Amino acid sequence: MGALLKLTLIGISLAFIAERIVQLSHRLNFSREVEPIDLPNCQLLKGIEYGSEDIDILPNGLAFISSGVKYPGIISLAPEKPGEIFLWDLNEENLRPNSLRFSSGFDISTFSPHGISTYIDEKDDTVYLFVVNHPHYKTTIEIFKFEEEENVLKHLKTIKHGLLPNVNNIVPLGPESFYATNDYYFSDFTMRHLELFFGLGWSDVVYYSPGEVRQVASGFYSANGIAMSTDKKFIYVADIFGHTITVLEKQADWSLSPVKVLQLDTLLDNLVVDPNTGDIWTAGHPNGKKLLFYNPDDLPGSEVVRVQNIHSDNPIVTQVYVNNGSVIQASSVAAVYEGKLFIGTVFHKALYCDLE
């Protein structure tokens, strides 16, 4: 090989790598800084110190909170402590959620809860809690029945499947069926780095039922939060590294058809739909570098965004709360109830504020 050809190949390779670095810095918002936005009467919840990654609020005001997820590439402030599911009654003034007990036989020692979601059976009002679990950094879906009188989660079923290798979040469709997001294609930690660096866009959404499992949406950099519209006709998917919300229409056979994509600025995490207005609430990471490369001297911030009228030609996107990490780090979920805003985090505390 001639010297000129070698230099040409080296130049092409360097240009390619430089382009990928630029694209990666954009996906992670390496240089983004945001101005603080405060809300009145913000208080930290008591007893939650090691994460409040996701929340699901029942119509009666009872809220489930997942805490203590251990996930590759994300810091844990209590790596040896098993994860928990907290129960919080939003109708009471008590700011200390209770850690729920599990039925006998469920292995709590490796419990690492990530995304959660509830399904209420219209036949008998049974509440099922679906939990994305990462025991030993693997992925399972755990289905529980909530027994309110005893404040116990009765474990019903563990689901594992080859099409569900890296589940982040979940939307139940029935007592044993759901849509789930895989935030990475690869499970190997090194390959995940390469997937992120090259921006492969191989992340997807999977439909699961006992009789059928299949991919129903693809092409995401990292599909993260997922939620369903109030009329149950549409599914919303957050792409954390694409900074987008994708709107998908449900079909009779459970397949999903793309409708539109809304571009945002933040690295949006979980999605929560306000049951009263249909607004989408999301919490995200203003700067992904600070999240993935944790530095106590340069903390990962928090950002809450509200999306109104997403199906219109001109959706309204509003920054509602922004903090540089001095109060709350690495926000992952935002949900509203009776004029209050709950903000959860990947590995930090949980905040509760008045919206007005």
Side-chain angles (χ1 to χ4, degrees):
M1 184 182 297
L4 180 59
L5 180 57
K6 287 182 180 180
L7 289 174
T8 301
L9 292 176
I10 291 172
I12 293 173
S13 299
L14 291 175
F16 175 77
I17 292 172
E19 178 190 12
R20 292 296 161 178
I21 291 174
V22 169
Q23 292 181 3
L24 177 64
S25 66
H26 171 72
R27 288 195 297 273
L28 294 181
N29 278 347
F30 265 27
S31 59
R32 184 170 182 250
E33 299 292 340
V34 289
E35 295 296 321
I37 299 175
D38 294 322
L39 288 171
N41 302 320
C42 287
Q43 301 178 71
L44 292 170
L45 297 190
K46 300 175 182 177
I48 295 182
E49 303 288 338
Y50 308 117
S52 44
E53 206 282 337
D54 204 3
I55 184 172
D56 193 287
I57 304 174
L58 297 176
N60 63 4
L62 288 180
F64 298 98
I65 303 170
S66 64
S67 179
V69 65
K70 286 84 176 172
Y71 204 61
I74 301 296
I75 188 175
S76 171
L77 299 181
E80 303 303 321
K81 180 180 172 62
E84 299 175 88
I85 300 294
F86 287 93
L87 182 69
W88 183 29
D89 189 344
L90 301 181
N91 301 298
E92 299 180 356
E93 294 184 0
N94 182 15
L95 290 177
R96 183 179 290 276
N98 297 313
S99 181
L100 284 172
R101 295 185 295 113
F102 295 87
S103 58
S104 59
F106 180 70
D107 183 9
I108 188 66
S109 66
T110 60
F111 190 49
S112 178
H114 201 167
I116 61 173
S117 192
T118 57
Y119 176 80
I120 302 176
D121 195 326
E122 296 179 354
K123 298 177 183 177
D124 56 10
D125 292 328
T126 297
V127 176
Y128 297 93
L129 179 67
F130 289 63
V131 180
V132 178
N133 186 23
H134 299 298
H136 305 294
Y137 299 117
K138 305 296 183 182
T139 293
T140 62
I141 308 299
E142 310 293 348
I143 302 178
F144 300 91
K145 176 183 177 183
F146 175 51
E147 298 184 341
E148 185 173 353
E149 291 185 3
E150 294 82 16
N151 270 358
V152 170
L153 290 174
K154 181 181 179 181
H155 186 245
L156 301 178
K157 188 174 185 179
T158 296
I159 295 172
K160 302 178 184 178
H161 196 276
L163 291 181
L164 300 169
N166 304 300
V167 177
N168 185 296
N169 216 320
I170 192 167
V171 168
L173 303 168
E176 293 185 282
S177 59
F178 53 84
Y179 292 120
T181 57
N182 284 304
D183 51 17
Y184 285 93
Y185 176 84
F186 293 105
S187 297
D188 178 79
F189 192 48
T190 301
M191 293 303 295
R192 284 185 175 194
H193 276 88
L194 293 175
E195 182 178 347
L196 174 61
F197 180 78
F198 288 109
L200 297 180
W202 290 358
S203 170
D204 64 2
V205 178
V206 171
Y207 166 73
Y208 177 94
S209 72
E212 181 183 21
V213 186
R214 58 189 167 94
Q215 184 189 77
V216 289
S218 60
F220 302 97
Y221 289 118
S222 183
N224 196 296
I226 185 169
M228 186 156 51
S229 61
T230 54
D231 60 11
K232 300 183 180 181
K233 294 180 179 179
F234 298 92
I235 295 295
Y236 308 124
V237 178
D239 187 337
I240 187 169
F241 296 136
H243 316 163
T244 59
I245 298 175
T246 297
V247 180
L248 302 155
E249 185 174 10
K250 286 170 57 188
Q251 303 301 323
D253 64 352
W254 304 108
S255 61
L256 298 175
S257 301
V259 175
K260 66 182 297 185
V261 177
L262 177 66
Q263 188 74 44
L264 301 178
D265 293 325
T266 193
L267 277 74
L268 60 165
D269 207 306
N270 294 320
L271 303 177
V272 176
V273 175
D274 184 336
N276 298 312
T277 65
D279 296 346
I280 300 174
W281 289 82
T282 184
H285 313 284
N287 186 313
K289 179 182 67 174
K290 297 181 182 182
L291 172 69
L292 298 179
F293 305 98
Y294 187 80
N295 179 356
D297 296 322
D298 190 17
L299 297 171
S302 295
E303 182 175 11
V304 173
V305 174
R306 178 188 188 184
V307 179
Q308 298 169 275
N309 306 321
I310 193 169
H311 295 276
S312 71
D313 291 334
N314 297 292
I316 301 171
V317 178
T318 307
Q319 276 183 315
V320 177
Y321 177 86
V322 180
N323 181 260
N324 63 4
S326 61
V327 175
I328 192 166
Q329 304 173 29
S331 60
S332 57
V333 64
V336 294
Y337 183 80
E338 299 291 334
K340 302 279 190 176
L341 173 66
F342 168 89
I343 306 172
T345 66
V346 179
F347 55 81
H348 196 228
K349 301 176 186 289
L351 195 66
Y352 197 47
C353 304
D354 289 340
L355 275 174
E356 298 179 356

